[in-house]
Amino acid sequence: MAGKAEPEVEDFLAMLAAQRGAAANTLAAYRRDLVGAAGVLGALAGASRDDLTDLSAVWADLAPSSLARKASALRQFYGFLVDEGVRDDDPSSALPRPRARRSLPRLLGHGEVDALFQTAEEDARGRTPEGLRMLALLELLYGSGLRATELMSLPLAAVPRDAPFLTITGKGGVQRMVPVSTRAIRALGDWLAARGKGGRFVFPSPRGGHLSRVRLFQLLRDLALRAGLDPEKVSPHVLRHAFATHLLEGGADLRVLQTLLGHADIATTQIYTHVDAARLVALVNQRHPLAKS
């Protein structure tokens, strides 16, 4: 938890929470960056362009992604101060504008996904609660592209009765409808029948509440190992990436994909066009007649 912030920073964070619906983790990240900058400059609200230039020198050794995040927090803060009439000028033009290179997501091929499902389905044939739960988790991660937090905190009330959709509460408390395949509904129904009564979450923890993200991570790594895959390659987020990439390969529209993934900005979804383009280049290099010359 970051230290105490000056009043203007607290007002800015309150605005993010009230007007933009920023999640707790997002607010904590902004607080850390702003309090950290204040630790170098003193009070941020009265900082000058020269002060921010000096701050850029202090940040010189940061990775481009970290530098971009910190500079963005300050730009938004000073824009807020101008909007509120606290300042007449915006000194943030003195901040650096690094180009943080977005890395391509790690991918699972269709064969690797098939291996995971074959192992999970074999386990589920035993009708043990653990096997049925693992198959339901896998179906919803790869079949619906849910984030780990969304899946773990999924309430029973969100499970479809007649319509093949889940109501998901994503980042910033934004809700969206996510389609659920027939096979996923079947796997989910089998799990709920084996789950028993009690608790309000689809995937409850034995100690109360819901299954943790760490436990989900462990379960997937164990499944990958038994499926003959490198467990380092498999995680909830990698399965979400596979969902998106394989849909795009199948002809899904980018705007539809944005809605399914719950991305606020289409630019976040566009990373998958780069993944698809990279595969096309690899295909040309491997299959084109001139590649053999």
Side-chain angles (χ1 to χ4, degrees), residues 126-242:
R127 311 302 292 179
T128 63
E130 293 78 14
L132 294 173
R133 181 183 65 182
M134 187 69 252
L135 183 58
L137 288 168
L138 189 61
E139 287 282 3
L140 291 174
L141 284 170
Y142 176 70
S144 297
L146 301 187
R147 298 179 178 96
T149 300
E150 294 169 347
L151 181 57
M152 293 298 88
S153 60
L154 189 66
L156 283 169
V159 175
R161 298 187 182 277
D162 300 317
F165 291 94
L166 291 175
T167 302
I168 301 298
T169 302
K171 288 185 176 181
V174 177
Q175 288 193 332
R176 71 185 191 278
M177 300 292 287
V178 174
V180 183
S181 69
T182 301
R183 54 181 284 162
I185 290 176
R186 185 167 57 247
L188 192 55
D190 289 342
W191 158 241
L192 291 177
R195 171 189 176 279
K197 305 293 183 181
R200 68 184 188 91
F201 296 104
V202 174
F203 299 102
S205 165
R207 294 186 295 275
H210 56 70
L211 209 64
S212 70
R213 292 171 58 187
V214 171
R215 183 60 183 144
L216 174 62
F217 195 94
Q218 292 169 340
L219 290 171
L220 282 174
R221 288 287 173 92
D222 177 67
L223 179 67
L225 194 62
R226 290 185 291 109
L229 303 180
D230 179 359
E232 295 296 322
K233 289 185 63 176
V234 181
S235 71
H237 212 58
V238 167
L239 284 167
R240 177 172 157 87
H241 287 320

Side-chain angles (χ1 to χ4, degrees), residues 34-57:
L34 293 172
V35 170
V40 178
L41 299 180
L44 293 180
S48 67
R49 281 179 51 84
D50 289 342
D51 291 331
L52 295 189
T53 300
D54 292 341
L55 183 62
S56 300

Side-chain angles (χ1 to χ4, degrees), residues 31-84:
R31 179 184 292 275
R32 281 195 301 270
D33 287 338
L34 293 172
V35 170
V40 178
L41 299 180
L44 293 180
S48 67
R49 281 179 51 84
D50 289 342
D51 291 331
L52 295 189
T53 300
D54 292 341
L55 183 62
S56 300
V58 174
W59 287 347
D61 293 331
L62 290 176
S65 57
S66 297
L67 182 57
R69 190 195 70 239
K70 290 177 182 293
S72 174
L74 281 170
R75 285 193 185 91
Q76 292 184 64
F77 172 65
Y78 287 114
F80 167 76
L81 294 185
V82 171
D83 290 343
E84 293 295 306

